[in-house]
Every structure is written in structure tokens, then in C-alpha cells.
Amino acid sequence: MFRHTHLHNGQGAHGGRRWRHGAGLTLTDGQAGERLVVTRFTQGLGCTQRLRELGLMEGKIVVVLRASDPVLLALDDSRLALERTVSDRIEVERVQ
Amino acid sequence: MYSEPLDVKPGMGVGGVITGKIRGRRRRGRVSGETRIAIVGNPNSGKTTLFNALTGLHHKVGNYPGVTVERKLGGYRFDGRQFSVIDLPGTYSLNATSGDELVVRDLLLGLLPSEPLPAAVIAVVDASHLERHLLLATQAMQLEVPVVIALTMVDEAKRHGRQVNPAALSADLGIPVVAVNAPAGKGIEALRRSVCQALGSQQPEFPWTVDRRLLDAMDGLSELMPQLDAPLGVKRHLALQVLLDEIGVHPLLKLPAVRTVAAALRQQLDAEGFDWRSDDARSRHAKCSLLALRALSSPEAYKRRRSDVIDGVVTHPVAGLVVFVLLMGLMFQAVFSWAPPLSALLESGIGWLSQGVSKLIPAGPLQGLLVDGVIGGVGAVIVFLPQIALLFLFIAILDDSGYIARAAYLMNKHMRRAGLHGKAFVALLAGFACAIPGIMAARTISDPRERLVTMLAVPFISCSARLPVYTLMISAFIPAYKIAGWLNLQGLVMVSCYMFSLAAAITAAWVLRKTVLKGETQPFILELPPYRIPHWRTVLAVLWERASVFITQAGTIILAINIVLWFLVSFPVNKHSAAQFEQQRAQISAAAIDAQLKTGQLAAVDRAEATASLSYSFAGRMGRFIEPAITPLGFDWKIGVGLIASFAAREVIVSVLAVIYGVGDDSSTTTSLASALRQDINPRTGKPVYNVIVAFSLIIFFILACQCMATVATVKRESNSWGWALFMVGYMTSLAYLASLIFYQTASRLFPSVV
């Protein structure tokens, strides 16, 4: 649903939010304080089931708390730490 | 399309199918007149605190058969009925990855023939993570077992602006939802009542919201299990797990019919062109999101919390490390300051008991067995309890506060360099108290190779039992000198011993991961719980469990070994020598000398006799036998006797050396023994037996050698393999020998005047 979301007349595809289209951005590329929306788990990420159980899934908005390895995210009221081998394989888009 | 149904007998449970044995119709929930309740929930949801509140700390801890996962069973009486409560390990869903999670899956889905199916399930849901925690609860609601939701952390959710309405959630789900505050004991009676009521009523099943094509495939696989004594919901969960398991480790995939049909169904679903693999997870999450939205009075939004402010420092790569080092330093400082007086108190008690028994029972083998074997063995265990208990008290406080997860986050990068998982840090930390709980802490690591590497690395960590050896050698051979007027040299050497042991553990892990335990590392994914004020009941419960594990598992083995040791050091008896010493005693007693002098001379004869007896004993002979092998390390036969004895339990070497040097067994033993060691002269060379190089050689040996049978037994049990346990003994002993050899030979050549 959120794989390739394009801007139409300045409006986004989800509730009025505007997505800034980033080419190949992953969670690793996020900066501290940035709000990102998860768009896709890429091929080869073997722990997608576990991530979904933790609430991290396509369409979820996360906030990067610490852009390091492991990356620290705020996901709703949870705080998740993901190693770079995982965050490299989660594609995101920036939310404005 | 489908093959013939499985060849099963009527009434055969799912577990019975897997094991090929007929177990008869499995009845749900009743075990010898008790109603079985299972508590499930995500990790850090407050599940164990609730279990303790329900059962009042009266619970039994064991292991599930065949696996090294803790099994906690408790009970309570309510409304004239007896309930047994099983606290299942924390899991995020029934789709298991780690050993703990597999037990939850297997027990709830009837794959554990040894465990009865629960009559009801209490699903613990954290109100501040409602959407996510409802996932497991909705899965439980599909197993045709009454479910009651225990809603925890309601006050915490309220503090974050999330007011949860239990009545609204209950109306939505059609099952009881009880808000509980387990640490304060609130809501417990209401929960018990709800469980009773739920047992007598019919509950709605949580609807499956997957794509119709996937549901058809699941039902198709379920058709292969027509005679299994399991509800449709259970069969559907099993079928979905089988379909998702493309590696082939699910127990049901051992059945050829299931394997064949599952492969065909996967192909069929792939051809349909929709993402069936994540369908259940996505639709379930969507449903749980809606449930949460309707139960919450305010929408979810990211708000910077106090935890985030603290984490800004605590998880910082530099500041966080500083905080970590300071906390660990404080912890160890407290442990090593507070434990010795308590240990001394216990030692006095043991000494008093020994004296009492010695007065009651005349001197002889029986007195020796009881005093030196049994009481000495119990004492050898009890004396470490203060240190172990204090360290685990601090670890429990840090864990319950939420800090340990942050520490694992910080340590992950460093653990990874050694091929260890970030969670291994907790196991290594526990190893500073005792290797046994440290090895058991590795159970949380899901990858079997990473778990094994952690278990094999933990024994290098300097545990409490090594401390007496370090203390003796340092006090004997390192001067009490202050560097730059403030830094205590002895203290610095002591800290270096601990750092060296940590370095050895990490290096060993790295080598193992590059050689015999090669393989990919599991990705580090960790949820950081919010910071909390640790609750005393939870902390004490954890402390009690850890101390009990140490006493029952280490203690029993050390006691048994001590008795064997007593035999080796006490027999055979040199009757001729005994007669000579008796004669000396008679002469001294008859001599007309000062009473005080007489007492001193008699004591000296006793000590000389003890030394001679030890030399003549089996242990003494073994010490002489290995002397040629340990001479290159700088050791003589006396240290050899100590080494042999310490292979059972490390701390024994101090008391064995005390006997050899005849310094008695009182509170001043270390001081007297240190003095005796410094004064011991080798009769062949005329030089001191001990010097600082020998002291360090012995310390290095003790850091690296595996000298604890209780640890070996624990590795065997946790790895389910004598091979790995014996491999550990072999490689650690070889490493200890080589390292001591290289050190002694190099140092004695560099500093010939010292030796």
C-alpha cells in the first residue's frame, strides 16, 4: 500500500500527510529526530515476522531517536533497537 | 488434491502424533483435582509480577522435559477450588523463534505431551502497548480455551496520556478484561473471579481475517488432521505455522503427508500473486489497531518521554559507556565491601557448628567425614552466598528498572566483535557472581550457536570462587604500595585479574566463532522497556530464584565433591607416623614447661601431623605424581595437591594449602598462609618456593582453567551434550597450562633474580 507513494497536487496518499519521495532510503539513513514511514522490508530480511510482532510494519511511522548501530527508534509508545543488518533492509520514506 | 488423512488413532493428541505414541484422549485443564491456568504475555508486560501476586510466591521452579527452559508452577485457592498456575515464558506471538517461545507455542497448541492443556488462559496485556500486546491475546482466543485479559501498566499508560477503557475493550472482544496493579495487589481478586466465571461460560472466538485463499489452504492442511484431538482454531494455527515454515523445523513437518501437502500449497499460494506470508500478521495488526483505538481515550502520538531524555545520555556511545562503567564500578565496589563481613559471619557459624560436632563425636573417620566432608562442603557453598546474592540483587534492580536492556544495547557492538549476541552481556555479567546462573542466562539467545558460544565463554569470567586465590596471592606477593600516593597497587592487580578474565572470555568467544562454531549471527532486535522504579517483590523473587539455583545446583555437586576430597586427603592413614606424633605429644605433655608454651608446642605437633598426613594421602601422592608436569609452570607438589583439589571446586585450594602449611582454619588464615607461603623454602634448591612470578602464574592458571564440576554439569545440561562439556574442560585446561607455562618461562628468564 505504501510502496511507491507519489505526491499528487501536494497531497499525500494517506490522510493528508505529504510524503517526500526518497530514492532507496533505508532506516539506517535516518537522522536523529526524523519521522519516517516504513515502506518495505527488502528481500533477504529474515526477521520480518518478529518485526511485525513488535509492531514495525509497512505504513508505520517511526521516529529515529539515535542514528547509530543499533539504531534506536520510537514506534508508538515502544522503543526498539535494531542492528544495522536489519535497519539496512527496511526501506522508508521521510514524513514532513 | 490432498493425500490420505494421517494414520492416527482416535483420541490421539497432536503431541501423540508427533511422538508416534498413543496418549489417549487429552483432557483439558485438570491435573489431580486442580484447574490448570496458563499465564501468557509479551516480555516485560508484568507477567511474572502478576504470577507472583496470584500465587503468593509459593511456586516451584523446574525445567520442561527435554528442554532447558524454566517451568514455573504455582497455585491458589478460590471459591472452594484449587487452581494451579503456570507462568509461561514471555513471547510476542505463537510464531516462535527462541527456545522459550517454542515452549509457549507447544504447550498451548498441544505439542507437549507431558503438559496438560490449560483450562483457561490469562493473557497479560500492557496498556501502554495495547495494540501490540493484543496480538498474542487474539491468537489465544482462537484456541477454544477461555481467555481473560489482565490489563497491566494502566497507571503508566495514563501518565502518558493514554486512558484505556477496560469495559470498552471487553465489549469489543467479548471476553473479560480486568485492570490489575500486581505490585500493589489491586485487581487480583477480580481477576480470580473472572477466571472462575470464564471457565463456566462460552466465549466468542476471535475471527480469522486472512485472505480467503490462505484460509482455504490452512483448512486444507487441517483436513490432514481429522482425528486429532484439537479444536479447529488450534489446527488452523498449526497449519499456518507449517505453511510459513519453509526451513522445515516445525514438529508437524516430520510427517511426510504434511510436508508434501504444505509444499504444494505454498506453490499454489505463490501462484496466486498476493503476499500470503505476511497476510495474517498484517490483518491481525490492523484489527488490533482498531481495538486499541476504540479502547483508548486519546490517539497514539509520539511524545518525548522522560525515558527518552534519560536514554539520550544512557545510550550515548560515550556518555552511556561512562554511565555503564560507573554503575558497574559502584555495583562491584558495593558487593566486595558488603559481602566479606557477611561471609565472615557465616564462616564463624560454620566454625561453631564444626566445633560442636567435634565435641559430640569422637575423633575418627566419622568425625572427619561429618566435619571436613559434610560441614566443610556446606560451608564452602554457603560462604559465597552473600557475594552471589548481592550481585544478583543489583542485577535484579537494574533489570527491573529497565537499565539492563540499555546496557545490552550499548554492549551489542562490542559483543558483536567477538561474535557474541548483545544479550550475551547479561550472561557474562552474571558470571562475575557464579558461572551457573550466567550459563543459564544464555537461554534467552535464540540462535543455538550463539547460545553455545556464550555458555562456553562465561566460565572464563572471574567468579566469586576465584577471589580467595587472588586475595591470597596478591596479599602474599604484591606489596601494599600506593602509586602516585593514592592508587593502591594491590587493588589495581585485583582489578587487572578481572579485566584479564573478561578479555579471555571475549577472545575465546571470538576464536570459537571463527572455528568450531562458525555461522551467521542472529540480528540484534531488542525492545527497550520504559524505566520503572524496581518493585521490591519482583526483585526479591528473582533474588530468591537465583540464590536457590546456586545452592541446589552448585551446592549439591560441591558438597559431593568435598566428601570425595575429604577421602582423598584423609586416606590412607600412616599409622607409624601417627604413633610418632602421639609419642611427641606425650613427651610435651609430660614436660615441666609453662602451660602456654605447652599448648603452643602441642598445636605445632598437630599442624605437623596434618601436613605429614596430607603428604602421605592419596591427594599428596597425586600431587607428587603430577609435579614433573607442573614444575615448568613454577609449581611444586604442594600446589599440585591444591590444583587437584581445586578441579572439583576452585576455592578449596586455599583450605588445602592451609592444611599443607599447618596454619589452622580460622579467620586469620589468609594472613598466616600468606606468611607461610613467603617463608617456604624448596629443600632441593634452597630458594623460596613462592615468588611474585609463581603467584602470577598461579593466578593465570586459575583465571583460565575450568575448575568447577558444577559448571561442567550445567554446561552439559544446557547444551544437552557431554561432548561440549568435556570439550570445555579440555580447551580451558590446555589454555591454562600453556598460558602459565609461557608466562613463567618468559618471566623467569627476564627476571632471573626473582626466581
Side-chain angles (χ1 to χ4, degrees), chain B residues 113-167:
Chain B
S114 58
E115 292 286 338
L117 292 168
V121 167
I122 296 175
V124 179
V125 169
D126 180 342
S128 51
H129 299 95
L130 198 59
E131 175 192 323
R132 207 156 35 80
H133 285 222
L134 280 173
L135 191 103
L136 180 61
T138 59
Q139 287 181 328
M141 286 176 67
Q142 290 169 329
L143 305 180
E144 289 184 34
V145 61
V147 176
V148 174
I149 287 181
L151 198 62
T152 59
M153 321 287 182
V154 175
D155 293 337
E156 194 169 303
K158 206 170 165 182
R159 272 200 299 276
H160 295 140
R162 292 157 61 89
Q163 186 100 7
V164 181
N165 185 343

Side-chain angles (χ1 to χ4, degrees), chain B residues 642-665:
Chain B
L643 286 182
I644 288 164
S646 65
F647 265 94
R650 289 185 181 91
E651 61 276 15
V652 167
I653 189 172
V654 176
S655 45
V656 169
L657 287 176
V659 171
I660 290 174
Y661 288 96
V663 295
D665 198 16

